Each structure stands twice: as structure tokens, then as C-alpha cells.
Amino acid sequence: MFSNRVMPRSRPDYPEFVQWLNIPQHEDDPIALLARSGGKRVTDNFEVFPCPEPDENGRYRIHFFAHALRHLSKSAIERINGLQVGELLYLAHEFQNRHDSSALLLCTEDRWIVGYCPRYLCGDFFQIISQHRELVRVEVDRLNQPPTPLQFRLLCKMTADWRDFRPFSNPMYQPVSSDVLAASAIG
């Protein structure tokens, strides 16, 4: 299930892939690669992501690649290619999105849309923003220039104060019990 979601070290493009993920070479274990890359395959809809834990200062930190870049205009992609590491990005609720009313846009200060937050993070981001909007920071962590595939182009980092927050507490993210698994196998 997971081994085919990690690029083998033997591939000639492995060092470049690890650079795209912004993971130091000595920390490139399979779990770190899965956590950062998502382990997505074109053959299914599974995605792997880490459950964030507070750091020593009680701050929530998570890295993610901006999603849906393939749906953006050529000029938006050009704007993305001009982003700088550390540049601030702003979250905007795209409440009129007919496919996903919980969509969060990633925007630049000059109001370019440069992608979307991954769906699995939107609920947590909304919860944190509603409590402490001023303590949320999203920035460019790494920009991988072409010919890097779009899904690995823009690596973002979100930091926020933790304050009584438990990530992925939504029922959607709770472990599936053996009773549910048994029932689904029968049905």
C-alpha cells in the first residue's frame, strides 16, 4: 500500500525529488517523504499526510503543496514562478465554489490566486482562523521552477498558535473501528 508511493532511492531523479520536497538528504526516510509528498498515485484517491503536533513553543506547523495549479491561468503560473521563499500568502474562503464550499484559496498580497489549500487541511485552517486569525501565517517555503511538475511547484508552510487546538478532530479523521470494517466487508 505504501511502498509504491515512495520514490525508490535508486531512481536517477531521486535527489531532485527530495529537493522539491525541501527535505534535507539525511532526513529523507520513507515516512518523511510520504508525509511531505502525499504519496498520491494517479490510480487511486488515497493521500498520506501527517498529523501535526505542537512544537516546543506550542505552534502548529504544517507543510503542504498548493493544489489545483493546473486549473490556473498561464499568467497565474507566471506569478507563481516569480514568488520568493518567505513571501507571505493569504487565505481566502471561496464560498461560491460550487464543487467545494469549504475551499480555501492561496493568494498573494497583490491578489493573485496561486493555488488552493489541500482539502484535508481546510477544516483545521477554518477552525484556527476563526479563533486566532492574527496568529496564522502562510508563506512560501520552496518554489520549484519548471520543469518541476505543477503538483510539486509551490511548497507552503503554515504556522499558527496552537491554543486549545487538536488537529484532525473532525469525525472524518477518526480511526475506523473493526466493527465498521467488518460491516463494510459483509455489505
Side-chain angles (χ1 to χ4, degrees):
M1 173 71 175
F2 296 108
S3 63
N4 71 347
R5 295 175 184 281
V6 178
M7 182 181 284
R9 289 177 188 260
S10 59
R11 284 199 30 186
D13 53 345
Y14 178 83
E16 184 177 36
F17 178 69
V18 173
Q19 278 186 326
W20 294 346
L21 303 178
N22 207 21
I23 295 176
Q25 284 268 256
H26 62 282
E27 296 176 19
D28 62 336
D29 66 83
I31 297 299
L33 296 176
L34 273 174
R36 187 68 57 91
S37 71
K40 291 167 108 178
R41 310 297 291 172
V42 294
T43 55
D44 62 41
N45 291 320
F46 293 111
E47 190 165 357
V48 179
F49 48 89
C51 184
E53 295 182 6
D55 66 13
E56 63 279 355
N57 299 315
R59 296 185 64 87
Y60 175 80
R61 296 177 191 269
I62 192 158
H63 289 85
F64 60 90
F65 282 98
H67 282 208
L69 273 61
R70 65 190 166 121
H71 300 292
L72 300 178
S73 68
K74 183 178 177 183
S75 55
I77 298 299
E78 289 171 3
R79 177 64 178 97
I80 290 167
N81 293 340
L83 291 170
Q84 300 296 313
V85 171
E87 187 170 340
L88 287 180
L89 299 175
Y90 300 89
L91 299 172
H93 182 195
E94 189 184 29
F95 58 89
Q96 291 181 317
N97 184 324
R98 64 176 187 217
H99 302 290
D100 185 0
S101 63
S102 67
L104 274 174
L105 295 167
L106 293 163
C107 302
T108 62
E109 187 173 23
D110 55 350
R111 294 187 174 85
W112 280 93
I113 295 171
V114 294
Y116 286 80
C117 287
R119 281 189 184 129
Y120 62 84
L121 292 173
C122 288
D124 282 357
F125 283 8
F126 276 122
Q127 184 179 350
I128 293 170
I129 291 167
S130 71
Q131 295 172 3
H132 306 287
R133 178 182 308 255
E134 73 283 0
L135 300 176
V136 175
R137 178 180 174 92
V138 180
E139 64 184 62
V140 175
D141 192 59
R142 182 173 173 90
L143 181 68
N144 297 305
Q145 293 292 340
T148 306
L150 285 175
Q151 68 266 27
F152 295 115
R153 184 71 51 89
L154 177 55
L155 180 63
C156 304
K157 177 175 69 175
M158 192 273 249
T159 308
D161 272 5
W162 193 269
R163 294 191 190 177
D164 302 320
F165 176 72
R166 195 177 68 138
F168 301 126
S169 57
N170 181 305
M172 179 169 81
Y173 296 109
Q174 301 313 301
V176 177
S177 73
S178 56
D179 294 338
V180 171
L181 289 174
S184 65
I186 295 170

